[in-house]
């Protein structure tokens, strides 16, 4: 099992909110961090992939010369479970404007053997140093006002199998993408929602890593049900989000061979595209 963190080398990276506390890593040695994965960020008993990405993202921010994620690519190798884990990081390259590193999260199986759960390759920089010229054809999603949208608390009953993560999020989904909840999916493969953290903490670049993977899967809108585990997830963080709720739009255009892609855009209260992602997921009917 992981060794106890040394008092001389351990350094906690902890904020004031539940998200900060539950993604806090403790430096045991250079490039080695201990973390207790919280059961509060699970879906059907499995730890949410966006939460895991934020955990590794926090460790990389401590390891690399730069503190802001620009591009983070993760491969999910085995399902993570709540409990102790170890994150190991390595600096691949440290440059003036960008630095690149790797991170892997490990847990132990019932026989005490170390199992790698997720592996990340990421480039970090300084978002505040980016030039302020924006040339884009992208447009924010047209969401109804928040009081005309619906969250998990409006559902007639709890999610079968449990979804603890919904208690930690502020989600208000666009009714136009909620037909699946009433047994009438649109077939378009779309999901749109207002997004925030339930304790009111404003989003930062690490929270954006969570936001891209926090909505119900677009597979529901295609008419499928069951677990949709992430195979690979790449996130591009474009700028530091302004205070206030985010808007998240996710689409799927292709389901083939038991796999689908999800393309996500995250917009802030200043109508800026603050993050984008593409995810490959496996569809498991159940």
């Amino acid at each position: 099992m992981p060794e106890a963190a040394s008092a001389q080398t351990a350094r906690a990276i902890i904020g004031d909110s539940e998200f900060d506390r539950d993604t806090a890593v403790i430096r045991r040695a250079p490039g080695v961090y201990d973390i207790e994965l919280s059961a509060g960020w699970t879906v059907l008993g499995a730890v949410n992939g966006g939460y895991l990405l934020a955990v590794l993202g926090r460790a990389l921010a401590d390891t690399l010369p730069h503190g802001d994620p620009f591009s983070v690519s993760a491969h999910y190798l085995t399902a993570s479970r709540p409990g102790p884990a170890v994150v190991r990081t390595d600096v691949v390259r440290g440059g003036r404007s960008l630095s690149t590193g790797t991170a892997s999260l490990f847990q132990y199986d019932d026989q005490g053997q170390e199992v790698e759960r997720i592996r990340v390759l990421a480039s970090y920089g300084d978002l505040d140093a980016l030039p302020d010229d924006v040339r884009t054809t992208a447009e924010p999603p047209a969401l109804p006002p928040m009081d005309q949208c619906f969250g998990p608390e409006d559902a007639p009953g709890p999610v079968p199998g449990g979804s603890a993560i919904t208690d930690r999020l502020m989600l208000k989904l666009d009714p136009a993408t909620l037909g699946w909840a009433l047994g009438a999916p649109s077939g378009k493969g779309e999901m749109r929602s207002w997004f925030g953290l339930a304790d009111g903490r404003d989003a930062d670049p690490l929270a954006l890593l969570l936001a891209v993977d926090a909505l119900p899967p677009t597979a529901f809108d295609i008419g499928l049900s069951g677990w949709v585990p992430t195979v690979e997830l790449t996130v591009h963080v474009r700028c530091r989000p302004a205070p206030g709720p985010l808007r998240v739009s996710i689409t799927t255009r292709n389901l083939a061979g038991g796999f689908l892609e999800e393309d996500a855009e995250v917009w802030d209260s200043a109508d800026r595209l603050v993050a984008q992602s593409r995810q490959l997921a496996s569809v498991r009917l159940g």
Side-chain angles (χ1 to χ4, degrees), residues 3-14:
E3 302 170 10
S6 163
Q8 286 75 29
T9 60
R11 183 162 69 90
I13 307 171
I14 301 174

Side-chain angles (χ1 to χ4, degrees), residues 9-54:
T9 60
R11 183 162 69 90
I13 307 171
I14 301 174
D16 294 329
S17 80
E18 187 173 29
F19 174 74
D20 292 318
R21 292 193 301 271
D22 288 348
T23 57
V25 293
I26 299 175
R27 186 198 290 173
R28 186 201 309 175
V32 183
Y33 300 85
D34 292 315
I35 171 73
E36 184 77 17
L37 297 179
S38 169
W41 302 87
T42 56
V43 180
L44 303 179
V47 181
N48 172 262
Y51 164 72
L52 290 171
L53 207 57

